[in-house]
Amino acid sequence: MKLLETVRGKHTSPETIATAMTFGKALKKIPVLVGNCPAFVANRMLNCRSNESLFLLEEGCLPEEIDNVLEDFGFIYGPFKVFDMIGGDTSRRIREEMGLVGKNVSKTVPVRYRNGHRFSAITDVLFERGLLGQKTGQGFYKYEKPGAYETMINPEIETLIKEYSREHGIERRRIPYQEILERCVYSLINEGFRVLEDGIATRMEDIDTIWIYGYGWPRHLGGPMYYARKMVGLPRLYERICYYQSKHPDIMHWQPSDLLRKMAAEEASKPSSNL
């Protein structure tokens, strides 16, 4: 991986930042300076896509449907192939650290909600059944043997997901291609604008660099922030995010970014060109 997120602290000196950035280049990496927060920049944005992918599973999709849409968009791997590569045990430790699962989580809180927001426990069901991904030969996909990369459809997962939806009273439906794409991509872009609001990244170009060199964003689409501005258009993006918020008010990442709202309004107010 070429990316190196270089994290500055509140009191980090300019000399230390310069030294760290120079050292990153000496390692033949592409260093990008970011602020300090849980998950930093890319993983913070990626978490939105990951969570939205799980909600799509609950509502009617299967893993391969979502992965196919994202790979058709240009990603090398869809979110569930990535999950299997990372491993269900690693993902479980992350959720435990975030206080989403584990002994300190109240048993009186419905499994669909954590900290007042919608939450999917599908990955915990896989973890409890030992379906950890490539390392065990089964996860969201099946593998010829533990450690193999070639994926095969896992019939057990379809049954597991449908049982989960039924158990939690979620009515499954056919979800169209465009909705899958928008919910996965627009959710992470909205979080990118929040990252800028919070000062964790200082430039949109930095976010685009992070995603291209670290997370496989398709280069011909220029990075998520470039894609939002130049290919979707901020007024259209903001409109769709507001739409999904109205449909899913209990999902935190659909709360529109104030920065996006402001920039979308500014773009909408500009006179259109006849050229």
Side-chain angles (χ1 to χ4, degrees):
M1 182 187 290
K2 298 291 288 183
L3 171 69
L4 182 63
E5 281 182 284
T6 304
V7 184
R8 54 179 165 78
K10 184 177 181 180
H11 301 293
T12 306
S13 71
E15 293 80 9
T16 300
I17 291 173
T19 300
M21 296 292 281
T22 301
F23 180 62
K25 292 177 182 178
L27 295 174
K28 301 189 184 302
K29 299 287 188 178
I30 297 176
V32 179
L33 186 64
V34 302
N36 187 19
C37 73
F40 307 126
V41 173
N43 279 332
R44 175 173 161 177
M45 295 169 67
L46 184 67
N47 286 340
C48 297
R49 190 188 78 174
S50 299
N51 289 333
E52 197 62 33
S53 298
L54 292 171
F55 298 150
L56 286 164
L57 284 189
E58 294 178 350
E59 295 170 27
C61 289
L62 295 175
E64 59 272 19
E65 292 177 307
I66 298 170
D67 282 354
N68 287 342
V69 169
L70 271 295
E71 289 168 16
D72 186 53
F73 180 72
F75 284 100
I76 297 174
Y77 300 111
F80 294 105
K81 289 178 183 175
V82 172
F83 177 90
D84 277 1
M85 289 179 189
I86 293 171
D89 49 348
T90 302
S91 298
R92 172 76 175 205
R93 285 196 296 271
I94 293 171
R95 292 192 299 281
E96 287 175 349
E97 185 175 318
M98 295 173 66
L100 296 173
V101 294
K103 62 183 180 180
N104 295 324
V105 176
S106 171
K107 300 298 183 182
T108 63
V109 178
V111 72
R112 288 193 64 200
Y113 293 90
R114 288 290 183 266
N115 302 328
H117 301 286
R118 184 173 167 185
F119 170 79
S120 177
I122 287 178
T123 53
D124 298 304
V125 176
L126 268 68
F127 174 82
E128 290 159 5
R129 297 190 185 187
L131 305 176
L132 304 183
Q134 288 179 355
K135 62 183 67 177
T136 59
Q138 281 198 78
F140 283 103
Y141 294 91
K142 288 188 72 172
Y143 302 86
E144 185 176 342
K145 60 182 180 179
Y149 281 87
E150 189 67 30
T151 60
M152 298 177 285
I153 301 299
N154 189 350
E156 182 180 346
I157 289 298
E158 180 174 354
T159 302
L160 182 154
I161 291 169
K162 290 181 177 179
E163 287 177 352
Y164 183 95
S165 299
R166 184 166 55 252
E167 179 184 346
H168 293 91
I170 304 171
E171 184 176 351
R172 296 181 65 79
R173 62 184 175 90
R174 181 188 173 279
I175 301 177
Y177 180 104
Q178 190 64 25
E179 181 179 343
I180 295 171
L181 181 63
E182 288 182 351
R183 287 176 63 176
C184 289
V185 174
Y186 292 2
S187 57
L188 73 86
I189 292 174
N190 186 48
E191 191 65 22
F193 281 96
R194 290 181 176 279
V195 164
L196 291 168
E197 282 178 17
D198 294 345
I200 303 303
T202 56
R203 302 183 303 172
M204 291 190 184
E205 292 80 6
D206 287 342
I207 295 176
D208 288 338
T209 299
I210 286 170
W211 270 86
I212 289 172
Y213 288 102
Y215 288 75
W217 182 276
R219 294 194 179 195
H220 67 284
L221 298 179
M225 310 310 282
Y226 180 91
Y227 175 77
R229 290 175 294 157
K230 302 297 185 180
M231 298 185 179
V232 179
L234 298 187
R236 171 65 176 173
L237 175 68
Y238 179 71
E239 173 194 332
R240 297 305 290 164
I241 288 173
C242 290
Y243 169 80
Y244 288 119
Q245 184 198 26
S246 70
K247 293 291 185 181
H248 306 282
D250 55 353
I251 299 179
M252 180 170 55
H253 58 242
W254 286 124
Q255 177 66 39
S257 155
D258 287 338
L259 177 61
L260 172 58
R261 175 185 54 78
K262 178 181 177 182
M263 292 183 66
E266 290 174 353
E267 184 176 313
S269 66
K270 293 179 181 178
S272 59
S273 172
N274 294 323
L275 297 179

